[in-house]
Amino acid sequence: MIGNENISFDMLNVFIKVSETKSINQSSKVLLLSQPAISKKIHQLENYVGAQLFNRSAKGVDLTYDGHIFYVFATRMLNELTRTIDEINHKNFSFSNLTIGVLDSISSFIFPDFFINKVYELQKLEVTNKGIDLIMPFNEGRLDAIIIDSAFGDDIVGPYVQKNYLKSLTILFIHNQILKCHP
């Protein structure tokens, strides 16, 4: 910590939005904050962290290497806060609250009936043909569960439960907090 400021969830939220839009201008419209206010929050955060988090150009902003590392932390922190608040408020679990990622080959060939019957109940279903498109959101806490080939297993980080199916060709990874909240 370089600066005397305390880090706030508001700073993290602004940082995440600027990271995702790659634009302070666009972020100001979404967050309903002025561009100078957003720039000030980003500057305070960079002072607190002691590193430049964005490369700035006339085209917008891009995360630096340190910014990518901090983005993973910030998204996990805010996701965990949201989940904790939901747990405190005793939100009832339903299948529709899950966010699931799956490789297209698995969803269409191995579990087609499941996805045909449940796709309309899911709040979010990510289907892709690239394992990395599922691993990063899962590691950041944006997906509750993913179903992928076992070859991608070494790329999964954090607390999770692993279930092997079909002779270890398909693995279901589920975040531990999902199982703790909803056995």
Side-chain angles (χ1 to χ4, degrees):
M1 176 179 88
I2 303 298
N4 293 331
E5 300 282 329
N6 289 326
I7 196 167
S8 69
F9 287 110
D10 185 47
M11 282 182 188
L12 294 178
N13 192 44
V14 167
F15 168 76
I16 290 168
K17 191 53 65 184
V18 171
S19 299
E20 291 173 350
T21 62
K22 298 184 179 196
S23 166
I24 291 175
N25 182 32
Q26 289 297 322
S27 297
S28 71
K29 293 175 185 175
V30 172
L31 296 170
L32 302 176
L33 293 171
S34 69
Q35 290 180 27
I38 289 176
S39 293
K40 182 178 178 182
K41 288 180 187 296
I42 295 297
H43 182 71
Q44 289 172 328
L45 186 60
E46 288 178 327
N47 283 339
Y48 184 86
V49 172
Q52 182 178 340
L53 301 175
F54 291 102
N55 291 314
R56 294 153 176 89
S57 71
K59 294 180 180 180
V61 296
D62 285 309
L63 288 171
T64 62
Y65 177 78
D66 292 333
H68 281 285
I69 293 170
F70 195 78
Y71 177 83
V72 171
F73 161 78
T75 54
R76 282 183 181 167
M77 177 71 76
L78 287 180
N79 286 336
E80 192 61 35
L81 175 66
T82 301
R83 287 183 179 162
T84 301
I85 290 170
D86 287 348
E87 186 175 340
I88 289 170
N89 290 324
H90 305 291
K91 293 211 173 185
N92 292 328
F93 173 76
S94 80
F95 189 78
S96 64
N97 291 338
L98 286 177
T99 55
I100 298 177
V102 63
L103 289 174
D104 60 353
S105 58
I106 293 170
S107 66
S108 59
F109 296 114
I110 300 175
F111 301 120
D113 292 338
F114 170 79
F115 287 100
I116 289 168
N117 295 329
K118 294 294 186 181
V119 72
Y120 296 108
E121 293 180 39
L122 291 171
Q123 181 176 350
K124 180 178 178 190
L125 175 65
E126 184 88 20
V127 178
T128 182
N129 63 355
K130 295 179 183 174
I132 195 68
D133 290 345
L134 300 175
I135 293 168
M136 182 179 273
F138 181 81
N139 287 343
E140 293 169 356
R142 292 184 285 139
L143 290 174
D144 297 318
I146 58 174
I147 305 170
I148 60 173
D149 295 329
S150 60
F152 297 107
D154 292 340
D155 298 323
I156 304 296
V157 297
Y160 60 85
V161 173
Q162 175 180 329
K163 302 286 184 185
N164 296 330
Y165 298 96
L166 303 174
K167 298 180 184 175
S168 297
L169 293 177
T170 306
I171 299 179
L172 171 64
F173 293 94
I174 305 172
H175 283 289
N176 273 350
Q177 62 265 33
I178 298 299
L179 296 177
K180 288 178 186 171
C181 296
H182 317 290

